[in-house]
Amino acid sequence: MIEDKEIYNSIQSEARRQKEGLELIASENYVSSDVLEALGSILTNKYSEGMVNKRYYGGNQFIDEIETTAVNRAKQIFGVDHVNVQPYSGSPANLAVYFALLNPGDKVMGLNLYFGGHLTHGWKVNITGKYFNSVQYETGRDGLLDYDMLEKQVKEEKPKLLFCGATAYPRLYDYKRLVEIAHSVDAYFVADIAHECGLIAAKVIPSPVGFADVITTTTHKTLRGPRGGMIMCNGNPSEPLRPLVEGADPRRNLPTLIDRAVFPGLQGGPHNNTTAAIAVALGEAMKPEFVEYANQILKNAKKLSEKLMEYDFNLISGGTDNHLMLVDLANKNITGKQAEETLEKVGITVNKNTIPFDERKPWDPSGIRIGTPALTTRGMKEKEMEIVAQFIDRALKNPSDDNLEKIRLEVKEFTKDFPIPGIDNI
Ligand SMILES: *Cc1c(COP(=O)(O)O)cnc(C)c1O
């Protein structure tokens, strides 16, 4: 028990909130007790600037073992020959890729935030939109990526780097088409799989490996590890390129460019406790149970989306192929912010989200985003998704204090059978 009462009490309150509520934020999950234990370990005491066997401080023999295990597991799972597990999170991982491959002012293309893209793909208030010449692409009216339109835009703009990946795109990517488009203008093609990483690890949706020049990801979303990031690429495994080969095809130098961008380009010492927790999460992701988990995420998302559509919720693109759905609330006469606040009162956590061609602003947009990874970790299946859809519909239909209080108690009761690792005893 933490002696500091102020922080202890807040942690207990947060644990209770997590336990008694339904977590539907698509980017969140619950890590295992083993991941928690590695994350809370004494590894945080150690400085390890540099790479395995090339550290700037002594005493790193065990840290090297841990980082090597993390890297090797990631290589095996994703089928890549180079992985850097040091990025502090998804955003620094992306920034390291910019630093590795571009000069300030170079042109980069990414999906517009309103259409599901991430801030770090060139949104104007982000460093990637200020220090680089960012051009954004959009989806079609139907919410789906329009590859013909994208190809035309890429050929006109001739970016040096094309990002794909999103925080709120409910469908799959045609990676083959995307790399053809990027390479037609000699641009790097970077796939940011922050959201889908666990689904790709479990091979329940297609992987960009073999198509993307570089793959970036977080480790804390569907992969169910600690908050962290990874960068993966295929260099030329038979010729480990260190130092850089001057004049070589830059794609062969990718591993070195990326490692140098992470350190000393962008970061100092890696968070070794996080590295160990990533290794543990990757170990878990190699087990058959994880494939089952990933499949169940998809089944739950399908079921929840079908039920919501039965309740006349309007799903962008008409459904989902992955772990999340995006709901346009215009026909319900409420905004995303209102829906988020109403659902919060019954213990259901979702996030307000812009929808394609949204006429409202990101702080009060027209939609909400809903995902199933966290509830699936708690052991919920299709049957429970039907009940969750019902809670959502009932709350938004009648947001009177009495009704919301009634539903809140039902939600709390409902969650009792679905434990969260590490918070069983509250
Ligand atoms: C979540 C996410 C990130 C950023 O991850 P952080 O860990 O929050 O920095 C980057 N790209 C995409 C597509 C994401 O969904």
Side-chain angles (χ1 to χ4, degrees), residues 89-92 94 118 120-121 165-167 192 194-195 218 220-221 227-228:
S89 209
S91 301
N94 283 344
H118 192 258
T120 55
H121 295 189
T167 64
D192 177 350
H195 261 265
T218 62
H220 49 277
K221 297 179 185 178
R227 312 197 79 81

Side-chain angles (χ1 to χ4, degrees), residues 152-224:
K152 194 160 159 272
Q153 198 183 355
V154 166
K155 289 202 155 135
E156 271 164 28
E157 297 286 352
K158 297 191 175 43
K160 264 189 86 174
L161 191 155
L162 176 68
F163 256 108
C164 90
T167 64
Y169 188 66
R171 298 295 180 175
L172 305 177
Y173 299 93
D174 185 346
Y175 293 119
K176 182 165 181 290
R177 183 83 198 272
L178 283 162
V179 69
E180 283 166 7
I181 292 171
H183 286 184
S184 76
V185 297
D186 216 20
Y188 289 105
F189 172 45
V190 182
D192 177 350
I193 59 166
H195 261 265
E196 304 91 338
C197 186
L199 304 176
I200 291 169
K203 301 189 170 59
V204 299
I205 63 169
S207 165
V209 174
F211 301 109
D213 296 304
V214 180
I215 296 165
T216 60
T217 186
T218 62
T219 48
H220 49 277
K221 297 179 185 178
T222 51
L223 187 64
R224 211 161 60 176

Side-chain angles (χ1 to χ4, degrees), residues 35 38-45 63 226 270-278:
V35 168
L39 199 58
S41 70
I42 47 78
L43 297 171
T44 193
N45 297 338
I63 301 300
H271 297 176
N272 299 312
N273 53 322
T274 301
T275 306
I278 289 174

